[in-house]
Coordinates of all heavy atoms in Angstrom, one line a residue:
M175 N -12.8 -18.5 9.4 CA -12.3 -17.8 8.3 C -11.6 -16.5 8.8 O -12.2 -15.9 9.7 CB -13.3 -17.5 7.3 CG -12.7 -16.9 6.1 SD -13.9 -16.8 4.7 CE -13.9 -18.4 4.1
T176 N -10.4 -16.2 8.3 CA -9.8 -15.0 8.7 C -10.2 -13.8 7.9 O -10.7 -13.9 6.8 CB -8.2 -15.1 8.6 OG1 -7.9 -15.4 7.3 CG2 -7.8 -16.3 9.5
D177 N -10.1 -12.6 8.6 CA -10.4 -11.4 7.9 C -9.2 -11.0 7.1 O -8.1 -10.7 7.5 CB -10.7 -10.3 9.0 CG -10.8 -8.9 8.3 OD1 -11.1 -8.9 7.1 OD2 -10.8 -8.0 9.1
N178 N -9.4 -10.9 5.7 CA -8.3 -10.6 4.8 C -8.3 -9.1 4.4 O -7.8 -8.7 3.4 CB -8.3 -11.5 3.6 CG -7.9 -12.9 4.0 OD1 -7.2 -13.2 4.9 ND2 -8.5 -13.8 3.2
S179 N -8.9 -8.3 5.2 CA -9.1 -6.9 4.9 C -7.7 -6.2 4.8 O -7.5 -5.1 4.2 CB -10.0 -6.1 5.9 OG -9.4 -6.2 7.1
N180 N -6.7 -6.7 5.5 CA -5.4 -6.1 5.4 C -4.5 -6.7 4.3 O -3.3 -6.3 4.2 CB -4.6 -6.2 6.7 CG -4.3 -7.7 7.1 OD1 -4.8 -8.6 6.5 ND2 -3.4 -7.8 8.0
D181 N -5.1 -7.6 3.5 CA -4.3 -8.2 2.4 C -3.9 -7.1 1.4 O -4.7 -6.2 1.0 CB -5.1 -9.2 1.7 CG -5.1 -10.6 2.4 OD1 -4.4 -10.7 3.4 OD2 -5.8 -11.5 2.0
T182 N -2.7 -7.2 0.9 CA -2.2 -6.2 -0.1 C -1.7 -7.0 -1.3 O -0.9 -7.9 -1.1 CB -1.1 -5.3 0.4 OG1 -1.6 -4.7 1.6 CG2 -0.7 -4.3 -0.6
N183 N -2.2 -6.7 -2.5 CA -1.7 -7.4 -3.7 C -0.4 -6.7 -4.0 O -0.3 -5.5 -4.1 CB -2.8 -7.1 -4.8 CG -2.4 -7.9 -6.0 OD1 -1.3 -8.1 -6.4 ND2 -3.5 -8.4 -6.6
I184 N 0.6 -7.5 -4.4 CA 1.9 -7.0 -4.7 C 1.8 -6.1 -5.9 O 2.7 -5.2 -6.1 CB 2.9 -8.2 -5.0 CG1 4.3 -7.7 -5.1 CG2 2.5 -9.0 -6.3 CD1 4.9 -7.3 -3.8
D185 N 0.9 -6.3 -6.8 CA 0.7 -5.4 -8.0 C 0.5 -3.9 -7.5 O 0.8 -3.0 -8.2 CB -0.4 -5.8 -8.9 CG -0.1 -7.1 -9.5 OD1 1.2 -7.4 -9.7 OD2 -1.0 -7.9 -9.9
D186 N -0.1 -3.8 -6.4 CA -0.4 -2.4 -5.8 C 0.6 -2.0 -4.8 O 0.5 -0.9 -4.3 CB -1.8 -2.5 -5.1 CG -2.9 -2.9 -6.0 OD1 -2.8 -2.6 -7.2 OD2 -3.9 -3.5 -5.6
T187 N 1.6 -2.7 -4.6 CA 2.7 -2.4 -3.6 C 4.0 -2.5 -4.2 O 4.3 -3.4 -5.0 CB 2.6 -3.5 -2.4 OG1 1.3 -3.5 -1.9 CG2 3.6 -3.2 -1.4
R188 N 4.9 -1.6 -3.8 CA 6.3 -1.7 -4.3 C 6.9 -2.9 -3.8 O 6.6 -3.4 -2.7 CB 7.1 -0.5 -3.8 CG 6.8 0.8 -4.4 CD 7.6 1.9 -4.0 NE 8.9 1.6 -3.7 CZ 9.7 2.0 -2.6 NH1 9.1 2.8 -1.8 NH2 10.9 1.6 -2.4
F189 N 7.7 -3.6 -4.6 CA 8.4 -4.8 -4.3 C 9.1 -4.7 -3.0 O 9.1 -5.5 -2.1 CB 9.4 -5.2 -5.4 CG 10.2 -6.4 -5.0 CD1 9.8 -7.6 -5.1 CD2 11.5 -6.2 -4.6 CE1 10.5 -8.8 -4.7 CE2 12.3 -7.2 -4.2 CZ 11.8 -8.5 -4.3
E190 N 9.9 -3.5 -2.8 CA 10.7 -3.4 -1.6 C 9.8 -3.3 -0.3 O 10.1 -3.8 0.7 CB 11.5 -2.1 -1.7 CG 12.5 -2.1 -2.8 CD 12.1 -1.8 -4.2 OE1 10.9 -1.6 -4.4 OE2 12.9 -1.9 -5.1
D191 N 8.6 -2.7 -0.5 CA 7.6 -2.6 0.6 C 7.1 -4.0 1.0 O 7.0 -4.4 2.2 CB 6.5 -1.7 0.4 CG 6.9 -0.3 0.2 OD1 7.9 0.1 0.7 OD2 6.1 0.5 -0.5
A192 N 6.8 -4.9 0.0 CA 6.4 -6.2 0.3 C 7.4 -7.0 0.9 O 7.2 -7.8 1.9 CB 5.9 -6.9 -1.0
L193 N 8.7 -6.9 0.4 CA 9.8 -7.6 1.0 C 10.0 -7.2 2.5 O 10.2 -8.0 3.3 CB 11.1 -7.3 0.2 CG 12.3 -8.1 0.6 CD1 12.1 -9.6 0.4 CD2 13.5 -7.7 -0.3
H194 N 9.9 -5.9 2.7 CA 10.1 -5.4 4.1 C 9.0 -6.0 5.0 O 9.2 -6.5 6.1 CB 10.0 -3.9 4.2 CG 10.1 -3.4 5.6 ND1 9.1 -3.0 6.3 CD2 11.2 -3.2 6.4 CE1 9.4 -2.7 7.5 NE2 10.8 -2.7 7.6
E195 N 7.7 -6.1 4.5 CA 6.6 -6.7 5.3 C 6.9 -8.1 5.6 O 6.7 -8.6 6.7 CB 5.3 -6.6 4.5 CG 4.2 -7.2 5.3 CD 2.8 -7.1 4.5 OE1 2.7 -6.5 3.5 OE2 1.9 -7.7 5.1
L196 N 7.5 -8.9 4.6 CA 7.8 -10.3 4.8 C 8.9 -10.4 5.9 O 8.8 -11.3 6.8 CB 8.3 -10.9 3.6 CG 7.3 -11.2 2.5 CD1 7.9 -11.6 1.2 CD2 6.3 -12.3 3.0
E197 N 9.8 -9.6 6.0 CA 10.9 -9.6 7.0 C 10.3 -9.4 8.4 O 10.6 -10.0 9.3 CB 11.9 -8.5 6.7 CG 12.8 -8.9 5.5 CD 13.7 -7.7 5.0 OE1 13.5 -6.6 5.5 OE2 14.6 -8.0 4.2
V198 N 9.4 -8.4 8.4 CA 8.7 -8.1 9.7 C 7.8 -9.3 10.2 O 7.8 -9.7 11.3 CB 7.8 -6.8 9.6 CG1 6.9 -6.7 10.8 CG2 8.7 -5.6 9.4
I199 N 7.1 -9.9 9.2 CA 6.3 -11.1 9.6 C 7.2 -12.2 10.1 O 6.8 -12.9 11.2 CB 5.5 -11.5 8.3 CG1 4.4 -10.5 8.0 CG2 4.9 -12.9 8.5 CD1 3.7 -10.8 6.6
V200 N 8.3 -12.5 9.5 CA 9.1 -13.6 9.9 C 9.7 -13.3 11.3 O 9.7 -14.2 12.2 CB 10.3 -13.8 8.9 CG1 11.3 -14.7 9.5 CG2 9.8 -14.4 7.6
R201 N 10.1 -12.1 11.6 CA 10.5 -11.7 12.9 C 9.5 -11.9 14.0 O 9.7 -12.4 15.1 CB 11.1 -10.3 13.0 CG 12.5 -10.2 12.4 CD 13.1 -8.9 12.8 NE 12.4 -7.7 12.3 CZ 12.6 -7.1 11.0 NH1 13.5 -7.6 10.3 NH2 11.9 -6.1 10.7
K202 N 8.2 -11.5 13.7 CA 7.1 -11.7 14.6 C 6.8 -13.1 14.9 O 6.6 -13.5 16.0 CB 5.9 -11.0 14.1 CG 5.8 -9.5 14.1 CD 4.5 -9.0 13.6 CE 4.5 -7.5 13.7 NZ 3.2 -6.9 13.1
I203 N 6.8 -14.0 13.8 CA 6.6 -15.4 14.1 C 7.7 -16.1 14.8 O 7.4 -16.8 15.7 CB 6.4 -16.1 12.7 CG1 5.0 -15.6 12.0 CG2 6.4 -17.7 12.8 CD1 4.8 -16.1 10.6
E204 N 8.9 -15.7 14.5 CA 10.0 -16.3 15.2 C 10.2 -15.9 16.6 O 10.7 -16.6 17.5 CB 11.3 -15.9 14.5 CG 11.5 -16.7 13.2 CD 12.8 -16.3 12.4 OE1 13.4 -15.3 12.7 OE2 13.1 -17.1 11.5
S205 N 9.5 -14.7 17.0 CA 9.6 -14.2 18.3 C 8.9 -15.1 19.4 O 9.2 -15.1 20.5 CB 9.1 -12.8 18.4 OG 7.6 -12.8 18.4
G206 N 7.9 -15.8 18.8 CA 7.1 -16.7 19.7 C 6.2 -15.9 20.7 O 5.6 -16.5 21.6
E207 N 6.0 -14.7 20.4 CA 5.2 -13.8 21.4 C 3.7 -13.7 20.9 O 2.9 -13.1 21.6 CB 5.8 -12.4 21.4 CG 7.2 -12.4 22.0 CD 7.8 -11.0 22.0 OE1 7.1 -10.0 21.6 OE2 9.0 -10.9 22.2
H208 N 3.3 -14.4 19.9 CA 2.0 -14.3 19.4 C 1.2 -15.6 19.7 O 1.8 -16.7 19.7 CB 1.9 -13.9 17.9 CG 2.6 -12.6 17.7 ND1 1.9 -11.4 17.8 CD2 3.8 -12.3 17.3 CE1 2.7 -10.4 17.5 NE2 3.9 -10.9 17.2
F209 N -0.1 -15.5 19.8 CA -0.9 -16.7 19.9 C -1.0 -17.4 18.5 O -0.8 -16.8 17.5 CB -2.3 -16.3 20.4 CG -2.3 -15.8 21.8 CD1 -2.5 -14.4 22.1 CD2 -2.0 -16.6 22.9 CE1 -2.4 -13.9 23.4 CE2 -2.0 -16.2 24.2 CZ -2.2 -14.8 24.4
L210 N -1.5 -18.6 18.6 CA -1.6 -19.4 17.4 C -2.4 -18.7 16.3 O -2.0 -18.7 15.1 CB -2.3 -20.8 17.7 CG -2.5 -21.7 16.5 CD1 -1.2 -22.1 15.9 CD2 -3.2 -23.0 17.0
E211 N -3.5 -18.2 16.6 CA -4.4 -17.5 15.6 C -3.6 -16.4 14.9 O -3.7 -16.2 13.7 CB -5.7 -17.1 16.2 CG -6.7 -16.6 15.2 CD -7.1 -17.5 14.1 OE1 -7.2 -18.7 14.4 OE2 -7.4 -17.2 13.0
E212 N -2.9 -15.6 15.7 CA -2.2 -14.5 15.2 C -1.0 -15.0 14.3 O -0.8 -14.4 13.2 CB -1.5 -13.7 16.3 CG -2.6 -12.9 17.1 CD -1.9 -12.3 18.4 OE1 -1.4 -13.0 19.2 OE2 -2.0 -11.0 18.5
N213 N -0.4 -16.1 14.7 CA 0.7 -16.6 13.8 C 0.1 -17.2 12.6 O 0.7 -17.0 11.5 CB 1.4 -17.7 14.6 CG 2.4 -17.2 15.5 OD1 3.0 -16.1 15.3 ND2 2.7 -18.0 16.5
L214 N -1.1 -17.8 12.6 CA -1.7 -18.3 11.3 C -2.0 -17.1 10.4 O -1.8 -17.2 9.2 CB -2.9 -19.0 11.7 CG -2.7 -20.4 12.3 CD1 -4.1 -21.0 12.7 CD2 -1.9 -21.3 11.3
E215 N -2.5 -16.0 10.9 CA -2.8 -14.9 10.1 C -1.5 -14.3 9.5 O -1.5 -13.9 8.3 CB -3.6 -13.8 10.9 CG -5.0 -14.2 11.2 CD -5.7 -13.3 12.1 OE1 -5.2 -12.2 12.3 OE2 -6.8 -13.6 12.6
L216 N -0.5 -14.2 10.3 CA 0.8 -13.7 9.8 C 1.3 -14.6 8.7 O 1.8 -14.2 7.7 CB 1.8 -13.6 10.9 CG 1.5 -12.5 12.0 CD1 2.5 -12.6 13.2 CD2 1.8 -11.1 11.3
F217 N 1.2 -15.9 9.0 CA 1.7 -16.9 8.0 C 1.0 -16.8 6.7 O 1.6 -17.0 5.6 CB 1.6 -18.3 8.6 CG 2.4 -19.3 7.8 CD1 3.8 -19.4 7.8 CD2 1.7 -20.3 7.0 CE1 4.4 -20.4 7.1 CE2 2.4 -21.2 6.2 CZ 3.8 -21.2 6.3
E218 N -0.3 -16.5 6.7 CA -1.0 -16.4 5.5 C -0.5 -15.3 4.6 O -0.5 -15.3 3.4 CB -2.5 -16.1 5.8 CG -3.2 -17.3 6.3 CD -4.7 -17.0 6.7 OE1 -5.0 -15.9 6.8 OE2 -5.4 -18.0 7.1
R219 N 0.1 -14.2 5.2 CA 0.7 -13.1 4.6 C 1.9 -13.5 3.8 O 2.4 -12.8 2.9 CB 0.9 -11.9 5.5 CG -0.3 -11.3 6.0 CD -1.2 -10.6 4.9 NE -0.5 -9.5 4.4 CZ -0.7 -9.0 3.2 NH1 -1.4 -9.5 2.4 NH2 0.0 -7.9 2.8
I220 N 2.5 -14.6 4.2 CA 3.8 -15.1 3.6 C 3.5 -15.5 2.2 O 4.4 -15.6 1.4 CB 4.4 -16.2 4.4 CG1 4.9 -15.6 5.8 CG2 5.6 -16.8 3.7 CD1 5.7 -16.5 6.7
A221 N 2.3 -15.5 1.8 CA 2.0 -15.8 0.4 C 2.6 -14.6 -0.5 O 2.8 -14.8 -1.7 CB 0.5 -15.8 0.1
L222 N 2.9 -13.5 0.1 CA 3.6 -12.5 -0.6 C 4.9 -13.0 -1.3 O 5.4 -12.4 -2.2 CB 4.0 -11.3 0.3 CG 2.8 -10.4 0.7 CD1 3.3 -9.4 1.8 CD2 2.4 -9.6 -0.5
T223 N 5.5 -14.0 -0.7 CA 6.8 -14.5 -1.2 C 6.6 -15.0 -2.7 O 7.4 -14.7 -3.5 CB 7.4 -15.7 -0.4 OG1 6.4 -16.7 -0.3 CG2 7.8 -15.2 0.9
R224 N 5.5 -15.6 -3.0 CA 5.2 -16.1 -4.4 C 5.0 -14.9 -5.2 O 5.5 -14.8 -6.4 CB 3.9 -16.9 -4.4 CG 4.2 -18.4 -4.0 CD 3.0 -19.2 -4.3 NE 1.7 -18.7 -3.7 CZ 1.3 -19.0 -2.5 NH1 2.0 -19.9 -1.7 NH2 0.2 -18.5 -2.0
Q225 N 4.3 -13.9 -4.8 CA 4.1 -12.6 -5.6 C 5.4 -11.9 -5.8 O 5.6 -11.4 -6.9 CB 3.1 -11.8 -4.9 CG 1.7 -12.4 -4.9 CD 0.7 -11.7 -4.0 OE1 1.1 -11.0 -3.0 NE2 -0.6 -11.7 -4.4
C226 N 6.2 -11.8 -4.8 CA 7.5 -11.2 -4.9 C 8.4 -11.9 -6.0 O 9.0 -11.3 -6.8 CB 8.3 -11.1 -3.6 SG 7.6 -9.9 -2.5
S227 N 8.4 -13.3 -5.9 CA 9.1 -14.1 -6.8 C 8.6 -13.9 -8.2 O 9.5 -13.8 -9.2 CB 9.1 -15.6 -6.4 OG 9.7 -16.4 -7.3
S228 N 7.4 -13.9 -8.4 CA 6.8 -13.6 -9.7 C 7.2 -12.2 -10.3 O 7.5 -12.1 -11.5 CB 5.3 -13.7 -9.7 OG 4.9 -15.0 -9.4
K229 N 7.2 -11.3 -9.4 CA 7.6 -9.9 -9.8 C 9.0 -9.8 -10.2 O 9.4 -9.2 -11.2 CB 7.3 -8.9 -8.7 CG 7.2 -7.5 -9.2 CD 6.3 -6.7 -8.4 CE 6.1 -5.3 -8.9 NZ 4.9 -5.0 -9.5
L230 N 9.9 -10.6 -9.4 CA 11.3 -10.6 -9.8 C 11.5 -11.3 -11.1 O 12.4 -10.9 -11.9 CB 12.1 -11.3 -8.7 CG 12.5 -10.5 -7.5 CD1 13.1 -11.4 -6.4 CD2 13.4 -9.4 -7.8
D231 N 10.9 -12.4 -11.3 CA 11.0 -13.2 -12.6 C 10.6 -12.3 -13.7 O 11.3 -12.3 -14.8 CB 10.1 -14.5 -12.6 CG 10.6 -15.5 -11.6 OD1 11.8 -15.5 -11.2 OD2 9.9 -16.4 -11.3
A232 N 9.5 -11.6 -13.6 CA 9.0 -10.7 -14.7 C 10.1 -9.6 -15.0 O 10.3 -9.3 -16.1 CB 7.7 -10.0 -14.3
A233 N 10.6 -9.1 -13.9 CA 11.7 -8.0 -14.1 C 12.9 -8.6 -14.8 O 13.5 -8.0 -15.7 CB 12.1 -7.4 -12.7
T234 N 13.3 -9.8 -14.4 CA 14.4 -10.5 -15.0 C 14.2 -10.7 -16.5 O 15.1 -10.5 -17.4 CB 14.7 -11.8 -14.3 OG1 15.0 -11.6 -13.0 CG2 15.9 -12.5 -15.0
Q235 N 13.0 -11.2 -16.9 CA 12.6 -11.4 -18.3 C 12.7 -10.1 -19.0 O 13.1 -10.0 -20.2 CB 11.3 -12.0 -18.4 CG 11.3 -13.4 -17.9 CD 12.3 -14.4 -18.5 OE1 12.5 -14.3 -19.7 NE2 13.0 -15.1 -17.7
R236 N 12.2 -9.0 -18.4 CA 12.2 -7.7 -19.1 C 13.6 -7.2 -19.4 O 13.9 -6.7 -20.5 CB 11.5 -6.6 -18.3 CG 10.0 -6.7 -18.3 CD 9.3 -5.8 -17.4 NE 9.6 -4.4 -17.8 CZ 9.3 -3.3 -17.1 NH1 8.7 -3.5 -15.9 NH2 9.6 -2.1 -17.5
I237 N 14.5 -7.4 -18.4 CA 15.9 -7.0 -18.6 C 16.5 -7.9 -19.7 O 17.2 -7.3 -20.5 CB 16.6 -7.2 -17.2 CG1 16.2 -6.1 -16.3 CG2 18.2 -7.1 -17.5 CD1 16.6 -6.3 -14.8
K238 N 16.3 -9.2 -19.6 CA 16.9 -10.1 -20.7 C 16.4 -9.7 -22.0 O 17.2 -9.7 -23.0 CB 16.6 -11.5 -20.4 CG 17.3 -12.1 -19.3 CD 17.1 -13.5 -19.0 CE 17.9 -14.1 -17.9 NZ 17.8 -15.5 -17.8
K239 N 15.1 -9.3 -22.2 CA 14.6 -8.9 -23.5 C 15.3 -7.6 -23.9 O 15.7 -7.5 -25.1 CB 13.1 -8.7 -23.4 CG 12.5 -8.2 -24.6 CD 11.0 -8.1 -24.5 CE 10.4 -7.6 -25.8 NZ 8.9 -7.3 -25.7
L240 N 15.5 -6.7 -23.0 CA 16.2 -5.4 -23.4 C 17.6 -5.7 -23.8 O 18.1 -5.0 -24.7 CB 16.1 -4.4 -22.2 CG 14.7 -3.8 -21.9 CD1 14.8 -3.0 -20.6 CD2 14.3 -2.9 -23.0
V241 N 18.2 -6.6 -23.1 CA 19.6 -6.9 -23.4 C 19.7 -7.5 -24.8 O 20.5 -7.1 -25.6 CB 20.2 -7.9 -22.3 CG1 21.5 -8.5 -22.9 CG2 20.4 -7.2 -21.0
D242 N 18.8 -8.4 -25.1 CA 18.8 -9.1 -26.4 C 18.4 -8.1 -27.5 O 19.1 -8.1 -28.6 CB 17.7 -10.2 -26.5 CG 18.2 -11.4 -25.6 OD1 19.3 -11.5 -25.2 OD2 17.3 -12.2 -25.3
E243 N 17.5 -7.2 -27.3 CA 17.1 -6.2 -28.3 C 18.1 -5.2 -28.6 O 18.2 -4.7 -29.7 CB 15.7 -5.6 -27.9 CG 14.5 -6.4 -27.9 CD 13.3 -5.8 -27.4 OE1 13.4 -4.7 -26.9 OE2 12.2 -6.4 -27.5
N244 N 18.9 -4.8 -27.6 CA 19.8 -3.7 -27.7 C 21.3 -4.2 -27.8 O 22.1 -3.3 -27.9 CB 19.7 -2.8 -26.5 CG 18.3 -2.1 -26.6 OD1 18.0 -1.4 -27.5 ND2 17.5 -2.4 -25.5
G245 N 21.5 -5.5 -28.0 CA 22.8 -6.0 -28.1 C 23.8 -5.7 -27.0 O 25.0 -5.6 -27.2
I246 N 23.2 -5.5 -25.8 CA 24.0 -5.2 -24.6 C 24.6 -6.5 -24.1 O 23.9 -7.5 -24.0 CB 23.2 -4.5 -23.5 CG1 22.6 -3.2 -24.1 CG2 24.0 -4.2 -22.3 CD1 21.5 -2.6 -23.2
E247 N 25.8 -6.5 -23.7 CA 26.5 -7.7 -23.2 C 25.9 -8.0 -21.8 O 25.8 -7.1 -21.0 CB 28.0 -7.5 -23.0 CG 28.7 -8.7 -22.7 CD 30.2 -8.5 -22.7 OE1 30.7 -7.9 -23.6 OE2 30.9 -9.0 -21.7
E248 N 25.4 -9.2 -21.6 CA 24.8 -9.6 -20.4 C 25.8 -9.5 -19.2 O 27.0 -9.9 -19.4 CB 24.3 -11.1 -20.4 CG 22.8 -11.1 -20.1 CD 22.3 -12.5 -20.2 OE1 22.2 -13.0 -21.3 OE2 21.9 -13.1 -19.2
M249 N 25.4 -9.1 -18.0 CA 26.3 -8.9 -16.9 C 26.0 -9.9 -15.8 O 25.6 -9.5 -14.7 CB 26.1 -7.5 -16.4 CG 26.4 -6.4 -17.4 SD 26.4 -4.8 -16.8 CE 24.6 -4.6 -16.5
G250 N 26.1 -11.2 -16.1 CA 25.9 -12.3 -15.1 C 24.6 -12.2 -14.4 O 24.5 -12.1 -13.2
M251 N 23.5 -12.4 -15.2 CA 22.2 -12.3 -14.6 C 21.7 -13.7 -14.1 O 20.6 -13.8 -13.6 CB 21.2 -11.7 -15.6 CG 21.4 -10.3 -15.9 SD 20.2 -9.6 -17.0 CE 18.7 -10.3 -16.5
D252 N 22.4 -14.8 -14.3 CA 22.0 -16.0 -13.8 C 22.4 -16.5 -12.5 O 23.2 -16.0 -11.8 CB 22.4 -17.1 -14.8 CG 21.7 -16.9 -16.2 OD1 20.5 -16.6 -16.1 OD2 22.3 -17.2 -17.2

């Protein structure tokens, strides 16, 4: 079992910070410079993608609701 002490919940992290962390993780894995166990631990952090996607979906829904409530013309959100 891996130590998840460095896990960060997206709710406690800015979206931009989580996205940056994902970019760093991908570069590290692609570099091929890490041992299998290190790559597995890094890959586990990629679960942040689901959290980032959920956060984006929630933000999109909030914007659509505001647009609907305020009669603002939608600006190509799809």
